């Protein structure tokens, strides 16, 4: 993180500790979609993801005054969200949700050509489906490092493991995702052939 | 890391960011705002309570000091032979 950004973050944390609503809004606007994307891909259930996200925000505002002055907001929020997800898994055992739930969630479309749109949608749908089949311990590192772009050390802190363990887990996660993606492509090709016959 | 691995992570990075429904987003924001306001009100009440308790302690200490000083003066007068 650039020094200036870090200084801004420290200032933001100070304002959060003081109960500044505008500081909260800034953090909320920045992290809300990112946390929802993470939680939705982990839970595979929109209602559950929204509940967990709401609880994440309430934890921030209720414990705001206890934040350490040098708290890094991204890792802190993702750690809370992840811990809530783990509690949710323990209490409800809903891990085996349907991938299809995830596919119907995209509210808007970017402007692309029909070909690009069809190709990208097809690939992204397959990627989403493959990702949804990756075991949670691997899925979370793919999302934190790949999608969120967290540094290895931060992602390791969120997951409660060492950076070295995270690197190994990420490597395994890539292999699992790659295999799932290949399976999806294979089954897609088979369906296409059957349709064309 | 192989080139394929890189491409895979790039593909994951390119996944869509999911936006919250506007109604949900507004409701949670409002709930957090009211929680922040409640926290501030609690804090203010605690601060006032501390101030009130401090001032009570101050008055008690002042009274004790006065009693002690008057006793001291009385003793001094008695030892000095004043009526």
């Amino acid at each position: 993180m650039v020094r200036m950004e870090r200084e801004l973050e420290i200032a933001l944390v100070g304002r959060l500790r003081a109960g500044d609503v505008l500081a909260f809004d800034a953090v909320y606007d920045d992290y809300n979609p990112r946390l929802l994307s993470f939680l939705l891909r982990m839970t595979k259930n929109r209602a559950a993801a929204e509940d967990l996200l709401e609880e994440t925000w309430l934890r921030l505002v209720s414990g705001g005054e206890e934040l350490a002055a040098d708290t890094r907001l991204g890792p802190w929020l993702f750690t809370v969200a992840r811990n809530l997800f783990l509690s949710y898994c323990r209490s409800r055992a809903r891990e085996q949700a349907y991938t299809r739930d995830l596919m119907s969630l995209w509210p808007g479309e970017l402007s692309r050509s029909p070909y690009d749109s069809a190709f990208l949608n097809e690939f992204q749908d397959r990627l989403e489906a493959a990702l949804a089949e990756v075991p949670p311990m691997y899925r979370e590192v793919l999302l934190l490092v790949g999608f969120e772009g967290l540094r290895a050390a931060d992602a390791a802190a969120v997951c409660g493991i060492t950076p070295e363990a995270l690197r190994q887990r990420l490597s395994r996660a890539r292999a699992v995702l790659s295999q799932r993606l290949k399976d999806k492509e294979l089954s897609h090709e088979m369906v296409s052939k059957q349709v064309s016959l | 890391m192989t080139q394929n691995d890189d491409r895979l992570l790039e593909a994951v990075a390119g996944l869509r960011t999911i936006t919250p429904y506007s109604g949900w987003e507004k409701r949670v924001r409002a709930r957090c705002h009211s929680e922040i306001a409640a926290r501030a009100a609690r804090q203010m009440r605690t601060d006032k309570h501390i101030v009130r308790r401090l001032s009570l302690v101050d008055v008690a200490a002042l009274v004790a000091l006065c009693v002690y000083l008057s006793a001291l003066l009385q003793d001094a007068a008695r030892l000095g032979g004043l009526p």
Side-chain angles (χ1 to χ4, degrees):
Chain A
M1 185 184 281
V2 194
R3 192 193 161 111
M4 187 63 185
E5 282 179 10
R6 183 68 188 127
E7 283 171 5
L8 284 174
E9 189 178 36
I10 287 174
L12 207 55
V13 170
R15 287 167 59 199
L16 276 176
R17 291 171 61 183
D20 184 340
V21 172
L22 291 178
F24 169 78
D25 280 347
V27 178
Y28 186 78
D29 290 338
D30 190 10
Y31 282 98
N32 208 28
R34 296 161 65 180
L35 287 164
L36 180 64
S37 300
F38 173 72
L39 284 169
L40 191 48
R41 289 189 171 104
M42 292 308 291
T43 58
K44 300 187 241 176
N45 178 316
R46 182 144 201 151
E50 286 177 348
D51 285 349
L52 297 180
L53 183 51
E54 184 168 353
E55 185 57 34
T56 304
W57 289 121
L58 287 173
R59 296 271 171 105
L60 177 69
V61 293
S62 61
E65 59 205 348
E66 285 151 25
L67 284 176
D70 61 346
T71 300
R72 301 197 50 221
L73 289 169
W76 191 91
L77 286 166
F78 278 99
T79 303
V80 172
R82 178 183 181 270
N83 288 341
L84 288 169
F85 167 69
L86 291 181
S87 303
Y88 160 81
C89 284
R90 277 189 214 110
S91 63
R92 308 244 178 142
R94 280 186 191 162
E95 181 48 26
Q96 300 301 320
Y98 292 107
T99 313
R100 200 169 294 166
D101 290 348
L102 198 58
M103 296 303 147
S104 59
L105 297 173
W106 318 122
E109 282 295 317
L110 298 172
S111 56
R112 302 187 196 109
S113 75
Y115 174 80
D116 286 348
S117 187
F119 177 77
L120 276 175
N121 281 345
E122 208 174 89
F123 175 73
Q124 288 212 325
D125 285 353
R126 274 211 300 278
L127 183 60
E128 288 283 6
L131 190 63
E133 287 178 9
V134 171
M137 67 182 288
Y138 296 134
R139 200 183 327 140
E140 69 177 5
V141 293
L142 282 169
L143 289 172
L144 291 172
V145 177
F147 185 69
E148 261 311 309
L150 289 190
R151 292 181 310 175
D154 290 338
V158 171
C159 297
I161 54 178
T162 63
E164 184 50 38
L166 181 110
R167 270 187 281 276
Q168 287 174 8
R169 198 177 283 185
L170 183 61
S171 172
R172 178 80 188 121
R174 277 194 296 253
V176 173
L177 177 62
S178 179
Q179 187 55 53
R180 296 284 191 280
L181 206 52
K182 274 180 197 156
D183 295 345
K184 295 273 164 219
E185 278 164 17
L186 209 61
S187 62
H188 176 74
E189 279 170 19
M190 282 167 67
V191 170
S192 301
K193 275 180 190 168
Q194 279 175 351
V195 169
S196 64
L197 280 175
Chain B
M1 202 193 307
T2 66
Q3 208 172 1
N4 276 345
D5 287 340
D6 279 341
R7 260 185 265 149
L8 198 60
L9 276 189
E10 276 171 26
V12 172
L15 286 173
R16 281 161 281 202
T17 298
I18 301 153
T19 47
Y21 296 136
S22 141
W24 178 90
E25 202 251 12
K26 280 180 190 159
R27 185 182 62 75
V28 173
R29 189 191 295 268
R31 193 173 170 202
C32 290
H33 283 183
S34 62
E35 180 62 36
I36 291 171
R39 198 183 89 192
R42 272 198 305 272
Q43 184 63 43
M44 203 176 282
R45 270 200 303 274
T46 311
D47 290 350
K48 274 185 187 167
H49 184 65
I50 288 171
V51 168
R52 210 176 297 143
R53 219 170 53 188
L54 270 182
S55 59
L56 201 69
V57 168
D58 289 346
V59 169
L62 199 64
V63 168
L65 190 67
C66 287
V67 169
Y68 172 74
L69 281 177
S70 73
L72 200 71
L73 285 173
Q74 273 178 5
D75 276 354
R78 189 170 47 81
L79 290 172
L82 290 172

